[in-house]
Amino acid sequence: MRFIQLLPILPALAAAQEQVPIADRVQGWFNKAKSYLPTATPVIPAAVEKVVEQKIQEKTVTPFNLSNWQSLLAPSDEPKDWFVFITGGNKTCFGRCHQAEKSFNESVLLFSADPTSPNLGYLDCESNRVLCSAWAAGSPSVSYFKVPAQVGEERPATAQYNVYFNATTVTPESLYKIHSEKTYEKRGAYEGSFHATDSWLAQRGLLIPAGYVIYAFSAIPSWLFMIFISFFSRTMMGRRMGNTGAPAAR
C-alpha cells in the first residue's frame, strides 16, 4: 500500500534530479572520491637541506676576556669589524639584561644571513668586571670596533663606537640595524681616556691596571666607605681642636 502511494511522486523526484546540472553532480562525485585518497606529505630531499645549511651558517660569537681581547682587536692583514655585545648579571646589570640578551641571541641569525656582517663578540661584565671597568663599559650596550689593516710598523687607529639602548624595548632588528644602517655613527666615535686601544692609558699599558683600581673601589661596600669617612673627619677635627687649644709660643 505504501509503495502504491509513492508511485505518483516518483516522476516529480526524477524531474528534480534532472534539474541539477550534470557538471555539479560530477564535481560532487569527484570531491567525494578524492576525500578517500591518502594525502601525501611533501618530503624535502636531504641534499636540499644540506645546501641551505651550507649557505646560511650561524656566526660564531666570541667571548671577550682579559686573556684574548687584545689579540682580537689587534690589526691584521685585512680590516675587520667587531660587534661586541656587553651584558651583565644581577650585580652589574641589576637584572635588566634578560631581554637584551634574548634579542642579541635572536639577532645572530640576522647577522649570519648577511655576508657583510661584522665579527660578533660577547662581554659578560659579571665574570669580567676588570675588563668592563677598564673599558668603562655599561651593560647592556654594544661596542663597535672598526679595526683597519696593519700597514707599516705603527699601529693604525681603531675607531670605537659605544651604542646604548633601552634594555626593555630592544629587539633583534634594532641590534642588527646597528650594523646594517650604521646607527653607531650617530653618536660619533669615542675618543676618551678609556678607549680600548688608542687612549693614553692603553698606549702606556695602564688601561688594565686602571680597571683593577676601579673594580677595587667598586667592590668596597658603601658602609665601609662611611666608616672611613667618619674616622677621617673625626681625626681631622681632633687635630684642629688640639691646635686651637695649644698655648701660643713666646
Side-chain angles (χ1 to χ4, degrees), residues 48 120 207:
V48 176
L120 299 181
L207 186 65

Side-chain angles (χ1 to χ4, degrees), residues 60-134:
T60 301
V61 180
T62 304
F64 273 58
N65 51 54
L66 280 176
S67 60
N68 68 353
W69 72 273
Q70 289 179 315
S71 61
L72 293 174
L73 297 180
S76 57
D77 296 336
E78 298 291 336
K80 55 186 176 182
D81 290 2
W82 274 101
F83 181 105
V84 183
F85 176 75
I86 302 173
T87 183
N90 293 329
K91 294 182 179 180
T92 54
C93 197
F94 306 103
R96 299 181 295 108
C97 289
H98 297 293
Q99 176 61 32
E101 289 183 5
K102 179 181 177 182
S103 298
F104 173 71
N105 293 332
E106 294 176 357
S107 70
V108 174
L109 297 177
L110 299 177
F111 286 105
S112 302
D114 184 356
T116 66
S117 62
N119 299 298
L120 299 181
Y122 183 91
L123 176 57
D124 184 3
C125 290
E126 196 77 6
S127 56
N128 295 278
R129 299 189 188 183
V130 174
L131 183 57
C132 288
S133 299

